[in-house]
Amino acid sequence: MADFSPMMKQYFEAKKENPDSILFFRLGDFYEMFFNDAKTVSQELDLTLTGRDCGQGERAPMCGIPFHSAEGYITKLLAKGYRVTICDQVEDPKAVKSLVKREVVRVITPGTVLEGSMLDESRNNYICSVCRSEDGVGLCFADVSTGELHVGQVESIGDTRELTRELVNRISRFSPREILADSRVMELTELADFFRDKLQASVQCLGDGTYLLPRAEETVSKQFGGKSLDELGLANSHVAVMSLGALLDYLGRTQITGMERLTEIELESNSAYMTLDLNTVRNLELIETMRNKERKGSLLWVLDRTKTPMGKRLIRAWLERPLMSPAKITLRLNAVEELVNDRQLLDELIEQLTGIHDLERIMTRIVYGSANGRELRALCAALQKLPGLKYVLDRCEATMLCGLNGQIDSLEDVSGLIDKAIDENPPFTIREGGIIKKGFNSQLDEIRSDMSGGKSLIASVEARERERTGIPKLKVGYNKVFGYYIEITNSYKNQVPEDYIRKQTLTGSERYITPELKELENRILGAHDRSIEMESKIFEDIRHRVAAELNRIQQSAKAVAALDVLASFAIVSVKNDYTRPTVNVSGKLYLKDCRHPVVEALLHDTPFVPNDVDMDMNDTRVAVITGPNMAGKSTFMRQTAIITIMAQIGCFVPAAVAELGIVDGIYTRVGASDDLSAGQSTFMIEMSEVADILRNATPGSLIIFDEIGRGTSTFDGMSIARAVLEFVHDPKLVGAKTLFATHYHELTEMESLLPGVKNFNIAVKKRGDDITFLRRIVRGGADDSFGIEVAKLAGVPDKVIKRAKQVLNDLESSSGGEVTARRSAIRRREEPVQLTIDSTDGQVLQKLRDMDVNAMTPMQCMNTLFELNSMLKN
């Protein structure tokens, strides 16, 4: 180290503290990287690799980026799995004559990003801490960009497979980008694989000493103002405290400042929310589509009409955590109903919400000391919307809307301070000057007067010198190397006065200075530097004053987010003709003319065929649904589950009438694909998921089984399907409401064997070899899967279709004619009956043909229908 330059010694000291991350070392207007960091960044970001003398007679590999555009480069490095340490200048280079002092001010990891340009405003950016002990597993999730903090605990489960499944479901709900874990958690191999492969999160195994309880208790108490664990609600959650303590310790080491942003703990309780495991969220396409992982085509895509970033994040959280309390659901439904019934109120509310910026993330940057003038103006613009929002809410009657109105602080003092102090169009950085408004500080105005007066003096010097020398094109310029100078073209060199001091020769001109010009330069530049210094102090003071109002602003931001989501529910409900559901604890599930909200939204010219659902805990607890593929069984079952979720998040639902008893969990087994990397076949995955459902479902759950048992031989599959059906039907074992779609028509006999089992099928119209899916669910079991007809509909070549019919006939013949008789009976039942049309019928038909239904009013349609009916009767 003795041979290195002082600056490089600084670099090595910072690098020693953070050896596992790329060090961004501030030199002037650039962040520089050296040695292996430089090689890595050059390769990963396709930047030029240069070198710098480092004091050993050799050049260190070096790579640099402008500091003002660093966010884009950091984003790319984080996406590639790297961590970035920021070592910044903490002294003004102009104020010191020796080496500028530099310190590590922050370590940026995937879970600790604060910058808006590096984050998706529609979703939270969580970091997770998880640890395991004999008592169970502690879980902690924090979004440092919004200040959210969730803490929970999973009680000890002897079966590691079941424990892993529960942890996967809990953690996937938050989808953290970064995970901290102890060694005992990483011993759960399937969980560790899930972290990396499915979540694609950055994973760090922290030393077990980080998770010691005494150390964690001290860290947690210090963070929350000396409160005891009992006061924080964590007295009986020691392993959760360990995970929280480790997370706070990690954030303290990486963020350096701003930890005061984490002010509240939200305790996670499974009993408060409906259980939605990872498979259900995926199968029902709540957040994104299964195939393309896109937002469009998901339930979130249909429901999200929010206007603010906070609302976009909250609606996702509500969707992933449906409520279990009828009282809380009713509060939300009452609020949505008032907005639906009062369109003017809804329109005014939307108008006030539009344009409110991300209060939560802007406040985080203010608290961390990294917000610039533009972000303060954005905060001001958002806060100026709050008085108008409160005015609109003043006439609301729904309890929740009134409560949110009371939670919103108009914050006119804060917005007034920013508006008075910060220029409407502030520069990107303070160093550019002009961030503080004229008139806010008299001393600053005096200094600026010197600056502007100095500029006018320079202009007067230019005019006077032109007159004195007789050189018409003489001009006074400025650059950072020479300061102010007089430039004269070569054609006038013979007229240059003797008191001019030549400073630089250019191709077509010469540059000079004079004692008078240097004196003016010192005066003007000194005023500029003093102005920037004073502006910096004023700006920092304003930022601190705004940061001190964190709790008021955070409380208002939460209320705005909730209002935004409720308004979004109301917008969608009005637009799509949704109905308020009745939510209670009856155990019923009654839906009249229900529709699939996503499929309906994707249909443009084709109307969605609605269906009814009528289930309870007694007579119709299990619905066995048969019918051909593509006829709509899966859509019907999914829409039932989705409507249940919509009701329990407090949204209106796509149905004419809806009464729903609270469902404590939805479990789905819908489709599967081979997981070759894990050595699991489709059938193995299917059976694993079935086993999980049978272990975890309760009488209060809703289960969807779609074609289980088809991944193996017919008799094995049918046996498994029947055994599963009997298991979920039995009140002593599960007894949950279940929708059971199957191609095993033999299972329809269960209706006569088990009370509470009812048969349903998808109505199909068959004419010859052609079939039409009517999309209607009707009572009774289907006698035919119409497999060959569906194959024809899908475009399978005619030659294959004909051969399939021959094979089917052979099989039917060998089965003693039973299948043939059954299929013939179906065909006879579905063949159209030839009607004899008399003259009156012909007149009716002709009148129908001549009608333009689109041009008729509803009353005209009714009158015409009455007329036609009378003609046929007479």
Side-chain angles (χ1 to χ4, degrees):
M1 289 288 287
D3 296 327
F4 285 108
S5 65
M7 187 275 292
M8 290 306 297
K9 289 179 181 178
Q10 262 189 346
Y11 169 83
F12 282 117
E13 289 174 6
K15 184 65 179 175
K16 184 179 179 180
E17 296 175 16
N18 300 275
D20 58 345
S21 67
I22 293 173
L23 181 63
F24 277 34
F25 192 75
R26 178 77 177 272
L27 289 177
D29 289 338
F30 284 80
Y31 282 124
E32 302 288 0
M33 289 126 273
F34 298 99
F35 301 103
N36 288 336
D37 284 355
K39 294 177 181 178
T40 299
V41 173
S42 173
Q43 181 177 353
E44 294 286 8
L45 302 184
D46 195 24
L47 298 176
T48 301
L49 187 66
T50 60
R52 183 186 179 96
D53 293 333
C54 56
Q56 288 186 316
E58 296 183 8
R59 289 175 65 80
M62 184 178 78
C63 180
I65 59 171
F67 86 96
H68 57 77
S69 59
E71 291 182 7
Y73 297 99
I74 294 172
T75 301
K76 293 177 181 178
L77 290 172
L78 293 178
K80 292 176 180 289
Y82 296 99
R83 295 154 54 93
V84 176
T85 297
I86 305 295
C87 183
D88 233 326
Q89 298 172 169
V90 293
E91 288 181 321
D92 185 350
K94 295 181 180 179
V96 294
K97 296 182 179 179
S98 58
L99 182 67
V100 176
K101 186 178 180 181
R102 294 178 176 87
E103 291 179 356
V104 171
V105 296
R106 189 172 161 214
V107 180
I108 306 176
T109 66
T112 60
V113 177
L114 301 176
E115 291 72 14
S117 64
M118 298 166 63
L119 293 168
D120 181 350
E121 68 171 18
S122 67
R123 61 185 302 170
N124 287 95
N125 188 65
Y126 286 110
I127 180 172
C128 169
S129 172
V130 53
C131 66
R132 185 182 174 198
S133 73
E134 290 75 13
D135 297 329
V137 177
L139 295 165
C140 180
F141 303 89
D143 183 345
V144 296
S145 71
T146 64
E148 290 182 42
L149 192 59
H150 304 263
V151 179
Q153 184 168 314
V154 176
E155 299 304 321
S156 182
I157 301 175
D159 186 342
T160 57
R161 176 185 172 83
E162 191 169 344
L163 175 62
T164 298
R165 176 195 168 280
E166 177 63 23
L167 292 175
V168 164
N169 290 332
R170 288 280 196 103
I171 295 171
S172 63
R173 183 188 300 166
F174 293 88
S175 298
R177 287 190 63 197
E178 183 175 2
I179 296 174
L180 315 173
D182 67 359
S183 59
R184 293 193 62 182
V185 168
M186 299 306 292
E187 289 172 1
L188 299 171
T189 308
E190 290 184 18
L191 186 62
D193 292 342
F194 169 75
F195 291 161
R196 293 188 176 91
D197 300 336
K198 296 294 171 56
L199 289 180
Q200 297 182 332
S202 170
V203 182
Q204 286 195 69
C205 184
L206 301 182
D208 291 348
T210 310
Y211 288 95
L212 296 177
L213 183 59
R215 176 179 175 179
E217 287 179 340
E218 182 180 348
T219 302
V220 172
S221 179
K222 182 179 178 181
Q223 174 66 30
F224 296 100
K227 290 183 179 179
S228 66
L229 296 183
D230 191 40
E231 290 174 302
L232 294 170
L234 296 171
N236 299 316
S237 305
H238 291 161
V239 67
V241 172
M242 289 157 59
S243 69
L244 174 58
L247 179 62
L248 293 173
D249 179 70
Y250 178 81
L251 293 177
R253 286 185 283 112
T254 58
Q255 299 306 290
I256 315 300
T257 60
M259 287 295 291
E260 61 271 21
R261 181 67 175 91
L262 303 174
T263 59
E264 297 180 2
I265 296 176
E266 182 174 338
L267 301 178
E268 288 293 300
S269 171
N270 266 359
S271 61
Y273 304 110
M274 177 195 292
T275 299
L276 292 174
D277 61 20
L278 184 61
N279 286 331
T280 298
V281 173
R282 183 186 68 240
N283 291 336
L284 297 181
E285 298 182 309
L286 298 183
I287 305 301
E288 61 186 14
T289 59
M290 291 177 65
R291 179 171 297 179
N292 302 321
K293 304 297 181 185
E294 294 179 348
R295 188 172 180 272
K296 182 177 181 180
S298 68
L299 181 59
L300 179 62
W301 169 70
V302 173
L303 298 183
D304 186 5
R305 296 294 180 270
T306 54
K307 303 300 180 182
T308 70
M310 299 90 71
K312 290 185 184 303
R313 293 191 291 271
L314 185 63
I315 194 172
R316 181 184 178 121
W318 280 14
L319 189 53
E320 292 179 320
R321 293 187 288 176
L323 298 173
M324 289 279 291
S325 166
K328 292 181 180 179
I329 295 169
T330 300
L331 285 175
R332 291 184 185 178
L333 290 173
N334 288 344
V336 174
E337 183 174 41
E338 181 169 358
L339 296 176
V340 167
N341 292 338
D342 190 338
R343 296 293 298 279
Q344 183 179 353
L345 172 64
L346 178 59
D347 291 342
E348 291 176 3
L349 181 60
I350 294 167
E351 182 182 354
Q352 293 300 324
L353 288 169
T354 303
I356 295 183
H357 301 284
D358 200 335
L359 294 172
E360 292 176 330
R361 285 181 171 166
I362 292 175
M363 278 307 298
T364 295
R365 289 177 59 76
I366 289 172
V367 170
Y368 276 80
S370 58
N372 58 25
R374 296 177 186 180
E375 287 170 313
L376 279 178
R377 286 302 313 189
L379 177 67
C380 176
L383 297 183
Q384 287 174 337
K385 286 271 191 175
L386 299 185
L389 190 60
K390 288 182 67 65
Y391 177 78
V392 171
L393 293 171
D394 280 342
R395 71 170 190 264
C396 292
E397 297 179 1
T399 302
M400 187 171 185
L401 294 177
C402 293
L404 292 173
N405 186 20
Q407 191 177 327
I408 295 175
D409 189 324
S410 60
L411 291 160
E412 291 170 296
D413 55 331
V414 180
S415 62
L417 170 64
I418 299 172
D419 192 41
K420 185 179 179 182
I422 307 298
D423 190 82
E424 284 87 351
N425 296 296
F428 184 75
T429 64
I430 294 178
R431 303 302 305 173
E432 297 175 55
I435 199 169
I436 303 300
K437 268 186 177 180
K438 183 180 179 180
F440 181 73
N441 184 283
S442 58
Q443 286 182 291
L444 178 61
D445 289 343
E446 287 180 15
I447 296 173
R448 284 174 170 171
S449 177
D450 284 346
M451 290 171 58
S452 59
K455 290 177 182 178
S456 64
L457 284 175
I458 291 294
S460 67
V461 167
E462 183 179 80
R464 189 176 67 249
E465 289 300 307
R466 283 180 179 179
E467 184 178 352
R468 181 168 79 93
T469 62
I471 302 174
K473 292 188 177 180
L474 178 151
K475 64 179 182 179
V476 177
Y478 174 82
N479 66 29
K480 292 183 178 180
V481 178
F482 300 116
Y484 286 100
Y485 57 82
I486 296 173
E487 183 171 304
I488 299 174
T489 59
N490 290 338
S491 58
Y492 293 98
K493 276 200 301 186
N494 60 341
Q495 294 179 241
V496 173
E498 293 182 359
D499 60 335
Y500 279 26
I501 303 168
R502 190 170 64 183
K503 212 49 188 166
Q504 186 181 22
T505 300
L506 303 178
T507 303
S509 62
E510 298 280 349
R511 288 178 175 176
Y512 304 86
I513 61 172
T514 67
E516 179 189 14
L517 201 58
K518 294 307 293 182
E519 184 180 341
L520 287 175
E521 177 185 310
N522 292 334
R523 177 179 168 185
I524 294 169
L525 295 184
H528 179 266
D529 290 342
R530 292 197 307 276
S531 170
I532 295 297
E533 183 180 357
M534 180 165 284
E535 279 199 84
S536 298
K537 291 179 180 178
I538 295 171
F539 182 76
E540 282 298 318
D541 177 63
I542 293 168
R543 195 159 58 185
H544 282 302
R545 289 165 68 181
V546 174
E549 306 301 329
L550 171 63
N551 290 335
R552 292 170 63 198
I553 296 174
Q554 182 73 3
Q555 184 181 26
S556 297
K558 288 182 177 179
V560 168
L563 280 170
D564 198 10
V565 177
L566 294 171
S568 180
F569 287 170
I571 293 169
V572 173
S573 299
V574 170
K575 178 183 176 183
N576 299 330
D577 192 26
Y578 292 171
T579 301
R580 174 174 178 155
T582 299
V583 180
N584 51 41
V585 293
S586 65
K588 292 184 64 175
L589 179 51
Y590 176 71
L591 305 173
K592 177 69 175 174
D593 290 337
C594 67
R595 295 127 36 211
H596 193 300
V598 181
V599 175
E600 183 180 48
L602 292 171
L603 292 174
H604 298 294
D605 301 321
T606 307
F608 187 92
V609 178
N611 274 296
D612 299 341
V613 180
D614 191 359
M615 302 181 73
D616 54 39
M617 302 304 295
N618 301 307
D619 294 338
T620 311
R621 189 164 61 252
V622 178
V624 177
I625 307 169
T626 49
N629 289 322
M630 298 171 54
K633 299 192 301 296
S634 295
T635 299
F636 170 71
M637 293 190 296
R638 282 186 172 99
Q639 75 192 39
T640 303
I642 286 173
I643 288 173
T644 302
I645 291 171
M646 289 175 66
Q648 290 189 216
I649 64 174
C651 184
F652 283 21
V653 300
V657 181
E659 180 183 353
L660 301 101
I662 288 291
V663 170
D664 62 17
I666 295 179
Y667 301 90
T668 62
R669 161 88 279 286
V670 180
S673 58
D674 288 344
D675 188 352
L676 300 179
S677 62
Q680 290 185 312
S681 67
T682 299
F683 184 66
M684 182 62 182
I685 294 173
E686 179 183 339
M687 290 299 101
S688 296
E689 292 178 4
V690 168
D692 287 337
I693 292 172
L694 299 183
R695 276 197 300 266
N696 294 283
T698 73
S701 303
L702 174 63
I703 301 174
I704 292 177
F705 283 129
D706 193 0
E707 309 288 357
I708 66 169
R710 62 181 174 179
T712 185
S713 68
T714 301
F715 291 116
D716 281 355
M718 185 171 63
S719 302
I720 291 170
R722 175 165 178 163
V724 169
L725 191 152
E726 292 174 348
F727 191 92
V728 297
H729 164 271
D730 191 339
K732 296 179 181 178
L733 299 174
V734 178
K737 292 189 289 292
T738 304
L739 297 171
F740 198 103
T742 183
H743 276 305
Y744 299 128
H745 297 151
E746 292 79 1
L747 295 182
T748 57
E749 69 180 24
M750 302 300 290
E751 177 176 297
S752 61
L753 300 176
L754 298 175
V757 175
K758 294 289 187 293
N759 290 328
F760 297 88
N761 73 90
I762 306 291
V764 176
K765 185 68 176 177
K766 190 171 189 304
R767 292 176 181 270
D769 290 338
D770 296 325
I771 60 171
T772 302
F773 300 131
L774 302 181
R775 312 291 183 188
R776 294 290 296 181
I777 302 292
V778 296
R779 280 283 285 121
D783 295 315
D784 200 329
S785 292
F786 299 102
I788 295 176
E789 290 81 358
V790 172
K792 180 181 179 182
L793 197 64
V796 173
D798 289 341
K799 189 172 182 179
V800 176
I801 298 298
K802 290 177 181 178
R803 177 55 184 155
K805 290 179 178 178
Q806 292 174 358
V807 173
L808 179 61
N809 288 333
D810 292 342
L811 291 173
E812 289 175 342
S813 299
S814 65
S815 65
E818 294 179 7
V819 177
T820 304
R822 187 177 65 192
R823 288 175 63 88
S824 297
I826 295 168
R827 292 192 179 99
R828 285 196 302 274
R829 186 170 66 242
E830 295 186 348
E831 284 298 331
V833 179
Q834 183 65 42
L835 298 177
T836 302
I837 301 178
D838 60 20
S839 59
T840 303
D841 294 341
Q843 292 174 16
V844 170
L845 289 173
Q846 187 59 44
K847 196 171 182 66
L848 284 169
R849 291 190 188 100
D850 294 339
M851 269 187 229
D852 184 2
V853 178
N854 293 324
M856 299 172 69
T857 66
M859 184 57 69
Q860 288 173 331
C861 287
M862 291 180 63
N863 290 337
T864 303
L865 183 61
F866 180 82
E867 179 186 346
L868 295 175
N869 184 257
S870 299
M871 288 173 65
L872 290 173
K873 285 182 177 180
N874 295 329

